[in-house]
Amino acid sequence: MSVPIRVSLLRDRLWQAVVDGDEYSAVAVVHGALAEGVAEETVLLDVIARVQEKVGAEWAANRISVAQEHAATAINERVVAALAHRQDGDPRRGHRGRVTVGCVDGEWHAFPARLVAEILRLRGWQVDYLGAQTPTPHLVAHLHRTNPRAVLLSGSIPTHLPTAHAAITACQAVGVPVLAGGRAFGPQGRYAFALGADRWAADARGAAAALEADLPHPDPAAARQIVDDLPHLADQEYTLVVQSRGTLVKQTLRDLEDRFPALREYSDEQRERTAEDIAHVADFLATALYVDDVEVFTGFLLWTAEILEARHVPALSLVSALDALSDRLRDFPRTRKLLREGATALLERAHSPAHGPGPDLHV
């Protein structure tokens, strides 16, 4: 049996185990793979990681519940831990040097960072894995104590980019280079470089390669301010939108009753979910302002449209929400431009052949 076929079968078996909530069968699948000679790195990245991606895709398509998604993720995390504890020798004694792996403060999606940590251990690094949402002051304190070769900073949600920026500059200010990774940093790491990260990696193998190639060591004396990296923030639009977030969400929800009359018939739970969606829209709008890139905003809107439609909610209700936000932000030219482009992206999607014209909820 060829390796690609074997890996595909392993994925199928692991998927069935995690979707059934069967932790013991899941562990047995990966232990059996190792016993058959499949490399541990292959099991981690080409089996477990791919199954975890499928978990997210199935949740987004509304084919598994939130509870099933959480259970499957927890099982995959336990499977990774089971593999880590099988390693021969002392994994704390890496011959290549010491590195720190952690998530941006506020980032709860720790699974990608955990995979990176395990791959680096396999490659001979001593890894301090700090897990989810590492507060920046505590991260810096850890760097002072351990003096690692580098920090590997993981982020999955773009709304954490401002916090990531603060962490990157703080780490570099104590002379430790930062390797950024995760979907939050955009295609080809465009936001990682905009925020001043020393390197970016698309995946765990890329992170290992970047470390092996060595990283530049920043000069602690060359401290910089946020506007040095992102001069457009001088217009204060990002700051003002963030400060008014709570009011914007409440006002937009109220305005939507006129623009989207179906909202008046929503239950309390549906209204709460709608308020959460509006809050996410405001957060991604602010992030797009921060990095000055509309794709952060339109990408989120198009993804949300898919999620809403999978749950039988009209995706074009988002356009009404953008109109309401725009009316509340009349004095913010960069913000209103983002809102217009977001609405255009949604309308183009709705009228594309793949989706059909759909109901016109834009009033």
Side-chain angles (χ1 to χ4, degrees), residues 41 45 112 115-120 123 152 201-210:
E41 184 170 306
L45 298 184
L115 287 175
V116 170
E118 295 309 322
I119 294 302
L120 294 183
R123 299 280 188 102
L152 289 88
D203 52 30
R205 291 186 175 104

Side-chain angles (χ1 to χ4, degrees), residues 27-184:
V27 172
V29 168
V30 298
H31 281 179
L34 296 179
E36 292 175 6
V38 181
E40 188 166 344
E41 184 170 306
T42 299
V43 172
L44 285 166
L45 298 184
D46 300 323
V47 179
I48 300 172
R50 294 285 294 278
V51 167
Q52 184 61 28
E53 288 175 4
K54 185 174 181 179
V55 169
E58 292 295 291
W59 168 83
N62 204 28
R63 289 190 286 264
I64 63 174
S65 68
V66 172
Q68 286 177 299
E69 182 271 327
H70 283 196
T73 300
I75 290 172
N76 274 334
E77 289 172 343
R78 296 275 296 225
V79 170
V80 172
L83 286 180
H85 294 161
R86 290 183 78 260
Q87 293 177 2
D88 296 330
D90 186 349
R92 295 171 297 178
R93 297 185 179 277
H95 63 274
R96 290 184 180 273
R98 190 171 190 172
V99 294
T100 297
V101 176
C103 294
V104 176
D105 194 4
E107 178 63 71
W108 284 102
H109 296 81
F111 194 78
R114 179 63 190 269
L115 287 175
V116 170
E118 295 309 322
I119 294 302
L120 294 183
R121 286 188 178 119
L122 288 174
R123 299 280 188 102
W125 294 91
Q126 179 183 348
V127 181
D128 297 325
Y129 172 63
L130 305 185
Q133 65 156 20
T134 309
T136 298
H138 295 281
L139 172 60
V140 172
H142 177 81
L143 302 184
H144 279 297
R145 185 171 63 83
T146 60
N147 190 31
R149 185 82 59 86
V151 171
L152 289 88
L153 196 63
S154 176
S156 297
I157 308 298
T159 51
H160 299 135
L161 286 173
T163 306
H165 194 187
I168 290 167
T169 56
C171 293
Q172 292 169 336
V174 296
V176 180
V178 177
L179 171 60
R183 292 182 179 178

